[in-house]
Amino acid sequence: TELKLDPSCSVFITMNPGYAGRSELPDNLKALFRPIAMMVPDYALIAEVILYSEGFESSKVLAQKMVQMYKLCSEQLSQQDHYDFGMRAVKSVLTAAGNLKLKYVDEDESVLLLRAIKDVNLPKFLAQDVPLFEGIISDLFPGVVLPAPDYEVFLNALYDNIEKLKLQRVPWFIEKIIQVYEMMLVRHGFMIVGDPMGGKTSAYKVLAGALGDLCSARLMDENKVVYRVINPKSITMGQLYGCFDPVSHEWSDGVLANTFREFASSTTVDRKWIMFDGPVDAVWIENMNTVLDDNKKLCLMSGEIIQMSNQMSLIFEPADLEQASPATVSRCGMIYMEPLELGWRPQKASYLNSLPSNLNKEQIDLVNDLFEWLVQPCVDFLRTQCKLIVNTSSLHLAKSLMNLYTCLLDEIAASGKETHDEDGPAEGSLTQQQITMWLQGLFLFAIVWTLGACVTGESREKFDHFFRILISGTDQDHPKPKSIKISKSNSFPERGTVYDYYFHKHASGLWNNWIDYVNKEKSTIASDAKVSDLIIPTNDTARQTFFLDTYLPHNTPLLFVGATGTGKSAITNSYLVQLPKEKYIANCINFSARTTANQTQEMIMSKLDRRRKGVYGPAMGKQCVVFVDDLNMPAKEKYGAQPPVELLRQWVDHGNWYDKKDTSKLELTDVLLVTAMGPPGGGRNDITSRFTRHMNLVAIDAFDDTTLTKIFGSIVDWHFSKGFDASFGRLGKLLVSAIMGVFKAAIDNFLPTPSKSHYVFNLRDFARVVRGVLLVPSTHLTDGDKLIRLWVHEVYRVFYDRLIDDKDRLTFFTIVKEMSQTHFKQSLDKVCSHLTPSGKLIDDNIRSLFFGDYMVPDALPRIYDEVTDLKKLTTTVENYLDEFNQLSKAPMSLVMFKFAIEHISRISRVLKQDNGHALLIGIGGSGRQSATKLAAFMTDYDLFQIEITKGYGAPEWRDDLKKMMLKAGAEGKQTVFLFSDNQIKEESFLEDVNMILNTADVPNLYPSDEKAELIEKMQGVARTEGKKIDSTPLAMYNYFIDRVKSNLHVVLAMSPIGDAFRNRLRMFPSLINCCTIDWFQAW
């Protein structure tokens, strides 16, 4: 069929190429259109015409002044992302001037224009640019005085709402609210920009409330406000605007499309705001261009076009506009809110009103004096002298100080309630003097653990020194106020630092060591305990438990920051397991580099029930504690946002999410948040301060030597108390200090470089050595020299096996020799004399030192012991190989030379341990897989491998994982999972392996029907094992995971060639943290 074209129809293309999110037109299309270059127009002429049309008479002069003003502004003011002095800026000034002209017909015209210029431009300037701007204006409009606007009615409504929200009437804040209101009248899309804690959200809430009040009082022709909040980065673009289903090509609307359509078609006169509370980047916001300019139309991919109504406003609330394109900045009005203009004092004023009601005026003044005296000096000191682990603002620190202080005042608040019931004071109530002493002591404690809690190890000593001088009142610049009575007796004890004590609420208050906080029963170890489950109480564990105890009941979100291996996850997990079941359910989530916001939402929602329409939470009367580990692991996308973190932020900020299917609003109740993360660096990212501002930070420092000695010393003592010779008590102490020496030397000597990116040592390596030593029972360890040989073998296995060149190996050999001399006072030559023919020990001889449990094939239990006869070792391994080849479908014809036997022995050692995983690094064909197969056969474990076919993808991978987990968890078979890097078809495979290494669980692996089957199986297993466990699904699933933990051993075979290996280690930290590394060098 022929189509007749209508010659009167023509096509125009407008585009401005050349920045983020834009692409050029293809050449074959470009050739069909006639290009026209657009010039910068003559602003003065345009302005003159528009001013005439609005009824201005002296428009020629005014237009020139205005253009000159913009020219000077763009030259003289600082360069900010959100400044724009182009045509659209001129246009909005002209609109504002026109509105004013209609309102005040007889007013002087230059006053009207000046007023319009100020209203439109002042809100977006930084504090430092305002005086410059004022200077430019006074030169251009000499002698023009602006009459003060009459806002009496409006201000009263604002004051009422500020009181309602328990905020303070800060003149700067009120001025900003008026600017938001005026901006709303001139522009339909505007942005409230600024760092967190500057009052952005409060500003629009107060304004919305005030307009509602004015509407009900029928003043100022205002209407009440309806608003919806969306975080555009916590959902995908498809979920924001809408998308076609990739399979069925059905169109489904996004959150924004539905909200926009509902608001646009609504017939009420209410103002309707759509709030976008989240980072702005060039992609999602470019799709709003047609809405934000004069077309006011939202165009969706489905071809639908929605016209915006006059009652609607689009309000964006980002922290900065680094990623926004000039097209966006010029289309939106800007209001800039600087937190420093607000300061922490208004927060304090609001806070003093919320103190317990039974404090008298003197006590509230005392708290006020404490704030005024201590907060500012400490904040300044942190700014200038200390290194912070996570960047925070002074307002955030002050806010966390108030949070912690509130959590500590429970007893004081409670003591007031009891006294009013009977005539006399009740038993448990506190005297006024006690309350005063406690208020002081708790305040000092709170300052140390909020302001001082986020500094690194070295800075803690500086802060300690500074803070002691400050509170002793000898600091000249900050004298002690009269009302405060801090003497030596009721301040921090002299010994140690201020970080070593907590304030014990007893009598008039005592300062106790942290370790006293943990009850003493926990510190004795049961004789049948498993080494991998031990938690030895130390100052740090006591601190962590204390903060969990303090913050959880008060719903204060908590963020632990600390290096890997400091026990953040272990302590928090064991704490959550011990919470009373009838009150709390725990939900532990691990983030990794590839976690998406949708996965996060599913993981959290999976533990919640629907309470009523649109409201979700745990069963009534319970609270769900969500523990997010490795919070900062999710990779930043192209424009620097982390969607999973943005999702959590939307929940903490606004308490709701959107349903992924029908975009309805889901509210969450009774859900608490605890998070942990490593310090930023490596694969870990900086986290947006808009999220951390809700958290109370607690930094957990890497353990110092005394703590390490205490932890491992108590484990070794416990082991040596089981039937060993008495002399081992003394050797145990030497052993721990010797391991510590090697550990420290390894960290100092072997630094990670691009070719040695796996030279990363942490406390888990220390623990691996100790656990290796514990494998030998008392029957086989009687003389001290053998213990030293065992120590050499274990540090070699943990540290030496990952070294990649002979130079490093030699360095390590000398380190071990020195440590043996300094700690055990024994020379290695003597202890290992049977290894050397010449009597002079060299590095190569230590290769002949073997410990293993494979020498007596049928013995039960298998004993981990020294292998003395190397010829017998070779024949034993060859016998295993023959046996393997008879049973196996794929026999291996291997020659058992020393090198192969070493690696087999190393792998066997890892497989013997609970939760033992190995990472074998070597080039293809170096024998990684063969060694693993044989080692698994020797220990009589099942070997599991995936078979890669052409169509192998994520679903098949998930099925294989399920099979493997069932084998290890439900059937209880010891399983070795051998996975090599040529089997990684998608990076998401590694993501799952990372999760298995870390937690032995893959989130959302089982659909609900399979999970129910699994739980039934586990109930059967628990009965046959005679375990006393609740038969609740959660407890059963945790039991399953525990069994997977002890039965599954992952062996990863990787090749160090190319960048892929380095990037994987960086993206998935568990590959190093949770594995013993073995480097296969060339034969």
Side-chain angles (χ1 to χ4, degrees):
T1 49
E2 289 190 10
L3 293 177
K4 285 195 69 172
L5 294 180
D6 181 349
S8 64
C9 163
S10 57
V11 180
F12 291 89
I13 299 178
T14 61
M15 54 185 280
N16 45 349
Y19 55 82
R22 295 292 175 101
S23 50
E24 291 280 355
L25 280 184
D27 283 344
N28 52 2
L29 182 65
K30 219 187 247 177
L32 303 176
F33 285 86
R34 175 177 161 202
I36 299 175
M38 297 291 287
M39 313 279 293
V40 175
D42 179 357
Y43 291 166
L45 185 62
I46 296 176
E48 188 181 331
V49 173
I50 293 182
L51 284 173
Y52 268 132
S53 72
E54 288 173 341
F56 282 81
E57 287 162 20
S58 53
S59 100
K60 198 173 175 80
V61 186
L62 292 178
Q64 280 168 341
K65 282 188 172 182
M66 190 172 105
V67 175
Q68 192 59 34
M69 188 239 17
Y70 271 127
K71 185 164 170 275
L72 288 169
C73 280
S74 58
E75 287 164 3
Q76 294 191 4
L77 304 187
S78 63
Q79 296 290 317
Q80 299 293 333
D81 291 323
H82 62 271
Y83 286 3
D84 164 67
F85 303 113
M87 186 66 225
R88 283 201 177 91
V90 175
K91 176 84 171 44
S92 52
V93 170
L94 297 172
T95 319
N99 292 348
L100 289 167
K101 181 73 180 168
L102 290 173
K103 214 168 169 188
Y104 309 103
V105 187
D106 306 329
E107 186 61 73
D108 179 8
E109 290 185 352
S110 54
V111 170
L112 290 181
L113 183 69
L114 178 57
R115 181 69 200 286
I117 288 177
K118 279 191 121 166
D119 284 354
V120 174
N121 288 306
L122 250 162
K124 67 181 167 200
F125 291 139
L126 273 71
Q128 71 220 36
D129 287 336
V130 174
L132 294 171
F133 177 68
E134 301 272 359
I136 294 173
I137 290 184
S138 60
D139 291 352
L140 286 171
F141 297 90
V144 176
V145 181
L146 286 186
D150 171 29
Y151 274 133
E152 195 178 345
V153 184
F154 187 48
L155 283 176
N156 288 336
L158 287 182
Y159 289 157
D160 290 348
N161 280 284
I162 286 179
E163 300 299 321
K164 265 186 218 159
L165 288 172
K166 298 197 169 73
L167 302 170
Q168 301 300 313
R169 300 183 189 184
V170 183
W172 172 84
F173 182 58
I174 289 167
E175 185 188 325
K176 281 294 175 194
I177 299 178
I178 294 173
Q179 289 174 353
V180 173
Y181 176 66
E182 292 183 334
M183 186 65 78
M184 189 172 69
L185 301 179
V186 188
R187 287 193 157 179
H188 61 280
F190 57 91
M191 300 197 172
I192 308 177
V193 193
D195 282 327
M197 317 283 281
K200 300 191 291 292
T201 313
S202 302
Y204 76 74
K205 283 187 174 157
V206 169
L207 179 59
L211 295 180
D213 291 356
L214 290 171
C215 166
S216 45
R218 304 255 171 92
L219 296 164
M220 281 176 61
D221 304 336
E222 266 309 334
N223 298 309
K224 70 181 211 304
V225 178
V226 191
Y227 60 84
R228 293 270 174 89
V229 184
I230 301 173
N231 185 337
K233 284 317 247 189
S234 68
I235 44 183
T236 60
M237 281 272 283
Q239 289 163 340
L240 183 64
Y241 290 106
C243 56
F244 287 106
D245 185 281
V247 187
S248 64
H249 278 281
E250 265 183 273
W251 171 259
S252 55
D253 277 317
V255 180
L256 172 64
N258 280 335
T259 311
F260 201 90
R261 187 179 306 111
E262 180 193 324
F263 278 4
S265 58
S266 150
T267 50
T268 58
V269 290
D270 299 344
R271 285 185 180 276
K272 301 168 195 70
W273 297 347
I274 303 181
M275 311 283 322
F276 295 92
D277 178 1
V280 164
D281 70 37
V283 177
W284 74 263
I285 202 163
E286 292 277 295
N287 296 329
M288 306 279 263
N289 278 352
T290 45
V291 194
L292 293 171
D293 59 23
D294 295 347
N295 297 316
K296 293 195 171 185
K297 292 187 173 83
L298 179 68
C299 306
L300 297 173
M301 287 215 319
S302 59
E304 181 184 9
I305 294 180
I306 312 175
Q307 177 72 42
M308 182 169 167
S309 70
N310 286 334
Q311 286 85 22
M312 287 170 67
S313 295
L314 298 178
I315 308 177
F316 301 88
E317 194 189 337
D320 57 51
L321 289 175
E322 267 173 47
Q323 305 294 343
S325 64
T328 305
V329 176
S330 67
R331 280 178 168 86
C332 292
M334 295 288 162
I335 294 110
Y336 187 76
M337 299 186 74
E338 242 172 323
L340 292 173
E341 293 285 310
L342 197 60
W344 53 268
R345 286 191 167 78
Q347 279 187 14
K348 178 206 66 179
S350 298
Y351 178 68
L352 292 177
N353 299 337
S354 70
L355 285 172
S357 51
N358 54 324
L359 297 184
N360 57 32
K361 178 156 184 331
E362 284 161 26
Q363 287 162 339
I364 289 184
D365 289 347
L366 168 79
V367 177
N368 186 26
D369 287 344
L370 284 164
F371 268 108
E372 290 294 340
W373 174 40
L374 295 172
V375 176
Q376 203 54 50
C378 290
V379 170
D380 295 341
F381 181 77
L382 293 176
R383 266 300 101 76
T384 50
Q385 307 285 329
C386 297
K387 270 175 78 173
L388 300 176
I389 290 188
V390 179
N391 292 326
T392 54
S393 66
S394 49
L395 283 94
H396 172 212
L397 292 173
K399 183 83 183 77
S400 11
L401 169 66
M402 296 167 204
N403 286 345
L404 177 56
Y405 200 45
T406 309
C407 297
L408 296 169
L409 295 180
D410 282 356
E411 288 86 348
I412 295 181
S415 80
K417 295 196 178 71
E418 300 155 0
T419 45
H420 303 307
D421 308 340
E422 301 110 45
D423 310 325
E427 294 293 300
S429 74
L430 306 162
T431 62
Q432 288 303 320
Q433 190 197 356
Q434 262 179 313
I435 292 183
T436 310
M437 297 308 275
W438 282 22
L439 285 175
Q440 266 176 203
L442 290 170
F443 194 86
L444 296 183
F445 172 75
I447 281 211
V448 172
W449 283 106
T450 50
L451 302 187
C454 51
V455 298
T456 54
E458 297 97 59
S459 309
R460 286 196 170 189
E461 290 165 14
K462 289 190 197 166
F463 183 78
D464 166 63
H465 181 68
F466 164 79
F467 192 61
R468 282 176 186 269
I469 292 178
L470 179 64
I471 56 178
S472 64
T474 47
D475 188 337
Q476 299 303 319
D477 309 331
H478 309 286
K480 190 187 323 189
K482 296 280 179 288
S483 59
I484 295 170
K485 306 173 179 57
I486 296 180
S487 59
K488 269 209 170 144
S489 56
N490 59 11
S491 133
F492 294 97
E494 302 276 312
R495 292 186 47 205
T497 65
V498 289
Y499 292 97
D500 295 342
Y501 300 97
Y502 76 100
F503 185 86
H504 183 48
K505 302 176 199 169
H506 177 74
S508 59
L510 310 163
W511 292 97
N512 281 3
N513 267 331
W514 275 111
I515 197 72
D516 304 340
Y517 183 74
V518 186
N519 52 13
K520 288 286 180 281
E521 301 89 81
K522 285 188 192 163
S523 48
T524 51
I525 306 175
S527 57
D528 54 351
K530 273 168 51 179
V531 186
S532 52
D533 299 345
L534 294 180
I535 290 184
I536 307 289
T538 62
N539 281 345
D540 292 275
T541 54
R543 262 175 232 167
Q544 239 177 298
T545 321
F546 173 83
F547 287 117
L548 284 164
D549 282 342
T550 309
Y551 288 135
L552 265 188
H554 294 89
N555 296 5
T556 308
L558 177 63
L559 171 59
F560 289 119
V561 190
T564 170
T566 43
K568 300 186 296 293
S569 322
I571 296 166
T572 310
N573 282 330
S574 78
Y575 178 84
L576 295 181
V577 171
Q578 290 161 5
L579 285 173
K581 296 272 183 302
E582 61 278 2
K583 274 202 188 137
Y584 293 100
I585 50 175
N587 184 2
C588 302
I589 298 176
N590 275 66
F591 275 4
S592 69
R594 297 174 52 92
T595 312
T596 63
N598 286 345
Q599 281 173 347
T600 311
Q601 187 167 338
E602 277 166 21
M603 287 192 243
I604 295 181
M605 294 301 278
S606 65
K607 298 270 174 94
L608 304 179
D609 316 324
R610 186 176 146 176
R611 289 198 176 171
R612 53 180 187 278
K613 187 172 185 290
V615 179
Y616 285 77
M620 290 302 273
K622 287 192 180 182
Q623 293 198 310
C624 176
V625 184
V626 177
F627 172 48
V628 181
D629 202 4
D630 280 335
L631 179 67
N632 52 0
M633 274 305 292
K636 293 198 168 183
E637 32 137 86
K638 186 175 168 193
Y639 297 104
Q642 292 170 289
V645 177
E646 291 298 328
L647 180 86
L648 292 175
R649 186 173 79 78
Q650 177 169 0
W651 156 45
V652 176
D653 255 333
H654 306 287
N656 64 315
W657 283 337
Y658 289 94
D659 190 325
K660 296 202 298 254
K661 292 192 185 63
D662 60 357
T663 72
S664 59
K665 197 165 158 183
L666 308 176
E667 288 192 26
L668 304 185
T669 53
D670 291 338
V671 188
L672 316 173
L673 185 62
V674 180
T675 56
M677 65 183 211
R684 303 165 186 282
N685 305 301
D686 263 321
I687 255 185
T688 160
S689 56
R690 300 190 67 189
F691 182 57
T692 45
R693 62 162 296 214
H694 294 288
M695 306 286 197
N696 270 28
L697 289 182
V698 179
I700 297 177
D701 213 21
F703 295 155
D704 50 5
D705 299 0
T706 45
T707 315
L708 282 181
T709 319
K710 179 174 185 329
I711 296 175
F712 293 112
S714 47
I715 293 180
V716 171
D717 292 345
W718 160 76
H719 176 67
F720 284 152
S721 64
K722 297 192 226 164
F724 282 87
D725 193 342
S727 66
F728 278 93
R730 184 185 67 84
L731 282 171
K733 306 235 182 328
L734 301 178
L735 177 77
V736 174
S737 57
I739 300 175
M740 173 116 66
V742 175
F743 176 64
K744 287 233 154 94
I747 291 179
D748 294 344
N749 283 308
F750 306 124
L751 304 170
T753 62
S755 60
K756 307 173 179 176
S757 56
H758 56 285
Y759 280 22
V760 182
F761 304 98
N762 59 43
L763 285 182
R764 297 177 195 207
D765 295 306
F766 198 119
R768 276 185 205 117
V769 181
V770 175
R771 278 160 67 174
V773 173
L774 302 194
L775 287 174
V776 184
S778 55
T779 45
H780 290 69
L781 189 58
T782 44
D783 69 328
D785 285 1
K786 185 165 175 183
L787 177 68
I788 299 177
R789 285 200 295 276
L790 177 61
W791 163 76
V792 172
H793 179 257
E794 294 306 316
V795 291
Y796 257 65
R797 286 301 70 83
V798 173
F799 298 111
Y800 177 85
D801 287 349
R802 71 176 73 187
L803 304 179
I804 68 174
D805 54 22
D806 290 331
K807 185 171 138 288
D808 288 351
R809 294 197 186 102
L810 202 66
T811 315
F812 187 76
F813 174 64
T814 42
I815 292 174
V816 173
K817 266 177 80 163
E818 281 169 22
M819 292 301 161
S820 161
Q821 207 51 55
T822 43
H823 294 284
F824 292 114
K825 309 280 187 287
Q826 292 271 32
S827 80
L828 277 188
D829 297 344
K830 181 166 145 287
V831 178
C832 304
S833 53
H834 60 289
L835 298 178
T836 68
S838 63
K840 191 89 186 97
L841 191 69
I842 54 169
D843 182 31
D844 208 39
N845 302 140
I846 295 196
R847 284 177 57 185
S848 318
L849 179 65
F850 286 96
F851 277 78
D853 64 349
Y854 37 74
M855 286 309 286
V856 188
D858 310 323
L860 275 178
R862 291 183 154 202
I863 304 290
Y864 186 73
D865 195 10
E866 185 171 5
V867 177
T868 42
D869 186 347
L870 295 183
K871 286 198 185 64
K872 190 174 164 208
L873 169 68
T874 314
T875 49
T876 313
V877 176
E878 280 168 354
N879 292 342
Y880 276 121
L881 180 64
D882 295 343
E883 224 176 299
F884 175 82
N885 286 343
Q886 282 160 12
L887 297 174
S888 155
K889 293 194 186 84
M892 306 186 289
S893 50
L894 302 179
V895 180
M896 281 300 138
F897 58 113
K898 186 165 181 188
F899 179 79
I901 295 178
E902 276 177 43
H903 285 295
I904 291 169
S905 170
R906 290 170 188 179
I907 298 170
S908 303
R909 168 181 174 274
V910 176
L911 297 183
K912 183 174 171 60
Q913 303 190 13
D914 263 356
N915 216 349
H917 308 293
L919 170 61
L920 313 179
I921 311 171
I923 50 180
S926 51
R928 298 163 307 180
Q929 301 204 18
S930 315
T932 309
K933 286 175 187 162
L934 190 55
F937 175 74
M938 285 162 53
T939 39
D940 205 16
Y941 289 179
D942 287 3
L943 183 75
F944 185 89
Q945 273 182 291
I946 62 172
E947 284 176 31
I948 292 283
T949 52
K950 189 171 173 219
Y952 193 92
E956 291 81 1
W957 163 253
R958 285 283 167 121
D959 289 341
D960 279 338
L961 283 189
K962 285 179 205 165
K963 266 191 250 156
M964 176 181 82
M965 307 262 286
L966 279 174
K967 203 175 196 176
E971 298 168 29
K973 288 193 178 140
Q974 289 277 3
T975 311
V976 177
F977 175 42
L978 175 57
F979 183 60
S980 77
D981 56 0
N982 52 13
Q983 293 174 326
I984 303 175
K985 278 188 93 169
E986 299 175 18
E987 287 291 314
S988 62
F989 292 3
L990 260 186
E991 160 92 6
D992 292 338
V993 171
N994 184 53
M995 293 296 271
I996 290 176
L997 289 172
N998 214 338
T999 57
D1001 184 14
V1002 179
N1004 302 341
L1005 182 61
Y1006 299 97
S1008 49
D1009 51 328
E1010 291 182 30
K1011 198 160 184 176
E1013 271 178 52
L1014 171 77
I1015 286 174
E1016 266 177 45
K1017 273 190 194 157
M1018 291 315 296
Q1019 285 166 344
V1021 173
R1023 275 198 295 279
T1024 48
E1025 297 270 313
K1027 284 262 193 251
K1028 295 198 173 44
I1029 306 183
D1030 307 339
S1031 55
T1032 58
L1034 188 64
M1036 279 299 143
Y1037 190 68
N1038 286 345
Y1039 177 48
F1040 168 69
I1041 295 304
D1042 285 342
R1043 304 237 321 183
V1044 175
K1045 244 187 197 147
S1046 52
N1047 291 337
L1048 181 67
H1049 304 279
V1050 181
V1051 179
L1052 301 171
M1054 298 251 192
S1055 158
I1057 297 171
D1059 288 344
F1061 175 66
R1062 271 211 304 282
N1063 294 338
R1064 284 169 181 159
L1065 290 190
R1066 194 179 69 236
M1067 278 175 65
F1068 305 113
S1070 298
L1071 298 186
I1072 297 184
N1073 292 344
C1074 301
C1075 296
T1076 306
I1077 302 176
D1078 185 10
W1079 180 279
F1080 282 64
Q1081 64 264 44
W1083 300 352

